[in-house]
Amino acid sequence: MTTLLNTQDIAHMAQSLGVPALLQRMAAYIEADYLRWQEFDKCARVASHSQDGVIELMPIADASLYSFKYVNGHPKNTRDGLPTVMALGVLADVATGRPELLSELTLTTALRTAATSAMVAKRLARPDSRVMALIGNGAQSEFQALAFHHLLGIQEIRLFDLDPAATAKLQRNLRHVQGLRLSVCASTAEALRGADIVTTVTADKANATIITPEMLAPGMHINGVGGDCPGKTELHPGVLLAGKVFVEFEPQSRIEGDVQQMPADFAVTEFWRVLSNQASGRDSAEQITVFDSVGFALEDFSALRLLRDVAQELGLGQEVSLIPQMADPKDLFGQLQPKGPQALAA
């Protein structure tokens, strides 16, 4: 049998544990797996691009577990009442290939992306960071805001989105969060003034320049979340040149990240090397650091492990028969034959 988790199950986890605790556990699982980086069989995700979006498969495995995520990115979906990003994932036993868990990953992707952003910023941003600019106030923005508030101690978030309704939605959703001040700004440049950390999480599938060099200040940490496919960027090349750039999996980031704009010899550091003390992170208080985040399969692997464990703790999920249950594993055709009274009547 395979455990099925739906969106209501994920919501129940968030309500039972609390979003801060769920984000904290998510970040811990992701960090633990990043520290095992060399144990994973890794590849860049497989993408099928269309005029309006992209559909991707993201596989990864260690010696015990295999996972993949199916995920799309269609910025125009909101016109039809659909999320820009929708996802599901599988966690399977490597020894047998048996799928252990089938789960929604739309909500979970937002949680794991925010947890990853905060985990990385904990090592790259200045420890005294208290103000964050959040450019793009759509579906993932609240998750980013809460992760940085609860996991890094951000006290003020300066908001900007081309769509005022998106900013108003974020304000409604986070109005009761204690100790967090939300400041609405009239432009990206205004939002960045005085910010220690800058998170960009826009959705348009375009070579955009959300952040330009003149907006930067010494010591900023840039958390670039929205650039995640060929032809989609958020940062001016000058921003990358001004900072020390970190990525998840370089072969994938070169294709999909903001560094797709840069020459092949442009220096980047895979973040796992910082966690394992094989490379330095921030080198000074004045240095600008950039996390060119595109989302990597290892983070979904970690998220699925967490969902499996929390589902067991809380008694969540439905057992479903995705795989035939056979007395004789070689008699697959027998599964098509009538059973019970129908078989006797035949």
Side-chain angles (χ1 to χ4, degrees), residues 110-127:
L111 288 162
R112 73 84 157 132
T113 302
T116 300
S117 294
M119 178 198 70
V120 172
K122 187 175 181 180
R123 275 78 183 178
L124 299 184
R126 297 193 325 272

Side-chain angles (χ1 to χ4, degrees), residues 3-5 10 13 25-26 29-30 33 58-60 65-70 87-92 100-106 108-109 112 296-312:
T3 301
L4 172 66
L5 296 176
I10 308 308
M13 291 181 188
R25 289 185 67 174
M26 185 79 74
Y29 271 57
I30 294 169
D33 284 335
M58 301 172 64
I60 195 168
L65 294 170
Y66 169 94
S67 76
F68 76 84
K69 179 167 78 173
Y70 164 97
L88 58 88
V90 168
L91 190 67
E100 296 182 353
L101 179 71
L102 171 62
S103 179
E104 86 79 45
L105 287 185
T106 306
T108 304
T109 291
R112 73 84 157 132
F296 185 53
L298 180 144
E299 297 148 18
D300 302 306
F301 178 97
S302 307
L304 286 163
R305 286 201 307 111
L306 175 63
L307 296 185
R308 177 199 62 189
D309 294 350
V310 175
Q312 291 174 352

